[in-house]
Amino acid sequence: MSDNTAPAPMPMPEGLKALMSRADASDKSPPPVEKWNPPFCGDLDIRIARDGTWFYLGSPIGRQPLVRLFASVLRKDEDGKHYLVTPVEKIGITVDDAPFLAVEMVAAGEGEDQQLTLRTNLGEVVKVDEDHPLRFEKEPDSGGLKPYVLVRGRLEALFTRALMYQLADLIVDRSGSDRSETGIWGGGQFFEIGQDLLK
């Protein structure tokens, strides 16, 4: 008779447990996760849903300080996968789309002088510029535009639908060297939207 019981989920690694004990600490400086190179310890059943909700073992993580703490040690590596990284452990997690959501935007100025300041669902503030570029994809279901902004490292924030409409109002055309381009100005940079995404 075969045993159909699922394998037990990976227990919470010790380095992550130690980090969790500091979730409510006052030190909010981001840890240098890009400099850490610990061994891979396997995958943990943590998932970031498309709406920005974090789940552990299928249940939403309700404590915002804990979510912010996990987000502070989140890293996306060259392999395209997302990891929680401590000085002693590297733990794989699942991200449905982008790990963050862009939920608020302030636009100041216009044209080349336009400045776009964004706030993520976890309170990080990002100014769109060369180091924090916009990129665009096509929404597979609706065919609509999906804008992203680079927050830090390789981690991006997906614009909420409401914010996407606000961003759409800032789309302009400019004459390039040999063709007209459509896109959005931010921080002195022009972020082109491919014609295939505008059809």
Side-chain angles (χ1 to χ4, degrees), residues 122-190:
L122 295 182
E124 292 190 62
V125 175
V126 180
K127 285 188 181 292
V128 174
D129 58 18
E130 186 176 11
D131 295 325
H132 303 94
L134 297 175
R135 76 172 182 90
F136 307 91
E137 282 188 7
K138 184 164 277 197
E139 169 64 58
D141 298 330
S142 68
L145 199 61
K146 274 175 49 174
Y148 297 83
V149 62
L150 188 64
V151 177
R152 55 184 156 86
R154 297 182 184 89
L155 302 174
E156 294 180 312
L158 171 66
F159 280 61
T160 60
R161 192 170 297 279
L163 209 62
M164 191 269 291
Y165 290 127
Q166 189 180 341
L167 189 70
D169 289 338
L170 303 176
I171 294 175
V172 295
D173 292 321
R174 74 164 185 172
S175 296
S177 54
D178 57 352
R179 61 188 176 88
S180 178
E181 300 170 323
T182 300
I184 294 171
W185 285 102
Q189 302 292 311
F190 188 77

Side-chain angles (χ1 to χ4, degrees), residues 18-26 28 63 65-69:
L19 192 69
M20 288 168 66
S21 69
R22 301 195 298 272
D24 298 307
S26 57
K28 302 300 182 193
R63 284 182 60 206
L66 190 55
V67 170
R68 284 194 170 93
L69 184 76

